[in-house]
Amino acid sequence: MDVLALSDAEWAIIGLSLKVSLVAVAAVLPPAMLLAWVLARCDFRGKILLDALVSLPLVLPPVVTGWLLLLAFGANGPLGRLLAEYLGITLIFRWTGAALAAAIMALPLMVRAIRLSLEAVDRRLEGAARSLGAGPWRSFASITLPLTMPGILAALVLGFARSIGEFGATITFVSNIPGETRTLPLAIYNALQVPGGEAAVTRLAIISVLLSVAALTVSEVLARRAGGGRAGHVL
Amino acid sequence: MSFEVDVSLRRGAREIAARFSAGEGLTALFGPSGAGKTSLLDMVAGLLRPDRGRICVSGTVLFDSAARIDLPPEQRACGYVFQDGRLFPHRRVRDNLLYGWKLAPAERRWLEPDAAIAFLGIGHLLERMPRSLSGGEAQRVAIGRALLSGPRFLLMDEPLASLDAARRDEIMRLIERMRDEFGIPILYVSHDRAELDRLAAAVIPVG
């Protein structure tokens, strides 16, 4: 199985991909939950607009999303300048920028999964919790949140898979820098350009499949546990 | 007076309004389906806000539009038994029963879990999930959950509606014992006259 013997550089690529994806998903989960809650539970003018805005990365060509990120967070972009001046943070050409691109691309999928699950929660159960003495926050934490858990787990898996596979927005926004922004898909793309890179492509592709299957399996196990023995289907 | 209610709420073309006061024991709201009986219970529980009016239970003002009083549901200390039981589907029977008990301040608890479980005969159900319960079992657990939350009064919304004849009689006997042994004011909704003749001290027509 020499094909599967990974070089140090390839291990580093896997590590970077995991780091970028996990940070992206973890960072985007709270805003995704907030957006899902607002879209599921609130009625206000401009809701359709917000809904469309959240879904935009899903329908735009990823290269365009990457370019927009470049405009906003580049050295001369308004947000990029603010971050650099006040927090000393640079996203462009950094792994953190790759995480931001992955997070933006994962956001619509995650919001969608959580929102569907939230909308399926019987709100009268929250009323029952309130009448039993729970304030709004406790009612949310003890009733709504656990009942939404399958959707949140689905969102984490979808978001993670989307982040691991993210290519277009990443390469446009933070380029393809070895050790900094060269994640699995970018490394595969790079290996394809190199004569004799087929073996590396095969190894990296197999790793991608394994990572996706592992994420799915973990989420199924968690969903079953969260469901108290209920057969849980995340996706 | 246990219950003093004078409320109105307009929902679209429909007006739900009621005005009554009732003394000790079990007071029934009686009327056809769709007359707004459940809405009235929701207003007393604080789950639905009337447009105007006043709700006072055992001397405590829960809602008064003129005085701008509107206690949130968690501060009303009401034990609400819903028509569909409305048990938390992700918690075992034991955790459903103790949900309100754990939240109630110690001085408001007047029934211990063991006593409630014995009273309702649900000791064998504690480790079960709600979806595995029969209608009668679920209704007994729902009653226990409401009693254990340290309520000052009970709201019961057609607790017999989904039960067969044998179970109805069993739950009705439980309600009679609750009424007589615990002496807690009960506001009870039904559209079955025979049920009310047996249980209610006063019947208030709605709709």
Side-chain angles (χ1 to χ4, degrees):
Chain A
M1 294 299 281
D2 278 351
V3 174
L4 283 182
L6 297 174
S7 67
D8 286 350
E10 286 164 341
W11 278 114
I13 289 165
I14 295 167
L16 177 67
S17 273
L18 287 174
K19 179 167 78 171
V20 165
S21 301
L22 291 174
V23 166
V25 167
V28 87
L29 182 64
M33 283 177 65
L34 185 67
L35 283 166
W37 188 84
V38 166
L39 289 170
R41 291 293 177 83
C42 303
D43 263 316
F44 54 93
R45 290 170 69 95
K47 180 170 165 177
I48 295 175
L49 203 68
L50 180 66
D51 200 359
L53 203 66
V54 169
S55 303
L56 209 54
L58 207 57
V59 291
L60 274 182
V63 173
V64 174
T65 304
W67 177 68
L68 291 173
L69 285 172
L70 198 55
L71 288 184
F73 290 95
N76 294 316
L79 294 173
R81 212 178 297 166
L82 274 178
L83 283 178
E85 251 172 58
Y86 292 101
L87 299 170
I89 295 173
T90 318
L91 293 175
I92 192 161
F93 305 133
R94 300 281 164 82
W95 74 268
T96 43
L100 176 67
I104 295 288
M105 297 304 292
L107 181 72
L109 290 169
M110 295 178 69
V111 169
R112 211 158 275 246
I114 299 171
R115 178 184 178 176
L116 281 176
S117 190
L118 254 181
E119 283 171 346
V121 173
D122 186 350
R123 296 193 62 180
R124 297 174 310 167
L125 291 172
E126 297 166 10
R130 296 291 299 276
S131 81
L132 289 164
W137 275 109
R138 187 184 294 272
S139 155
F140 176 79
S142 63
I143 307 299
T144 318
L145 198 58
L147 291 173
T148 315
M149 208 39 91
I152 294 174
L153 290 173
L156 289 173
V157 176
L158 282 170
F160 180 75
R162 185 68 190 76
S163 298
I164 280 278
E166 171 36 43
F167 180 82
T170 307
I171 201 166
T172 312
F173 179 36
V174 292
S175 188
N176 189 351
I177 302 165
E180 189 67 39
T181 67
R182 184 171 291 171
T183 56
L184 267 171
L186 275 65
I188 292 173
Y189 172 77
N190 203 67
L192 277 171
Q193 313 286 313
V194 179
E198 289 81 5
V201 171
T202 308
R203 282 197 297 276
L204 294 170
I206 290 173
I207 301 292
S208 304
V209 172
L210 291 179
L211 279 177
S212 307
V213 171
L216 258 182
T217 310
V218 167
S219 73
E220 279 291 324
V221 170
L222 287 175
R224 258 162 232 264
R225 204 167 289 172
R230 259 179 304 180
H233 288 287
V234 162
L235 297 177
Chain B
M1 281 290 138
S2 292
F3 296 97
E4 295 165 71
V5 176
D6 176 9
V7 289
S8 69
L9 171 67
R10 180 164 286 285
R11 295 188 119 185
R14 194 159 142 245
E15 167 114 22
I16 299 163
R19 182 176 195 171
F20 62 88
S21 46
E24 298 294 292
L26 190 146
T27 305
L29 300 177
F30 173 72
S33 296
K37 303 186 295 293
T38 298
S39 298
L40 284 171
L41 287 195
D42 282 349
M43 288 185 225
V44 177
L47 301 178
L48 185 64
R49 187 204 197 109
D51 291 334
R52 54 144 293 278
R54 187 169 184 276
I55 299 167
C56 181
V57 179
S58 302
T60 306
V61 177
L62 305 180
F63 178 84
D64 190 337
S65 56
R68 296 183 172 276
I69 294 171
D70 184 10
L71 288 187
E74 62 269 23
Q75 287 174 24
R76 296 193 180 199
C78 82
Y80 198 159
V81 181
F82 300 91
Q83 183 173 352
D84 53 4
R86 221 168 286 183
L87 298 175
F88 302 132
H90 59 301
R91 293 175 163 240
R92 290 178 192 284
V93 166
R94 179 193 305 278
D95 299 324
N96 264 282
L97 285 171
L98 294 180
Y99 187 89
W101 193 77
K102 286 178 178 163
L103 290 171
E107 69 274 11
R108 235 183 55 209
R109 295 175 185 158
W110 49 265
L111 188 63
E112 288 301 308
D114 288 342
I117 289 163
F119 176 80
L120 295 161
I122 51 177
H124 58 298
L125 303 174
L126 295 179
E127 300 308 322
R128 301 257 294 269
M129 296 301 282
R131 83 198 122 87
S132 74
L133 301 177
S134 71
E137 289 169 342
Q139 204 53 267
R140 279 186 286 165
V141 174
I143 291 172
R145 184 177 70 171
L147 288 175
L148 285 172
S149 67
R152 289 194 281 258
F153 60 99
L154 285 182
L155 304 172
M156 304 189 87
D157 188 4
E158 308 217 31
L160 310 179
S162 57
L163 308 179
D164 58 43
R167 295 289 148 189
R168 285 170 74 93
D169 191 61
E170 174 193 316
I171 300 288
M172 220 181 310
R173 264 183 282 141
L174 265 179
I175 294 170
E176 284 175 318
R177 282 185 58 202
M178 268 161 51
R179 180 193 64 191
D180 301 337
E181 289 176 28
F182 300 147
I184 183 171
I186 303 173
L187 196 57
Y188 188 100
V189 155
S190 176
H191 62 264
D192 181 347
R193 190 71 223 204
E195 190 179 313
L196 297 185
D197 285 342
R198 180 168 158 187
L199 293 173
V203 176
I204 287 129
V206 176

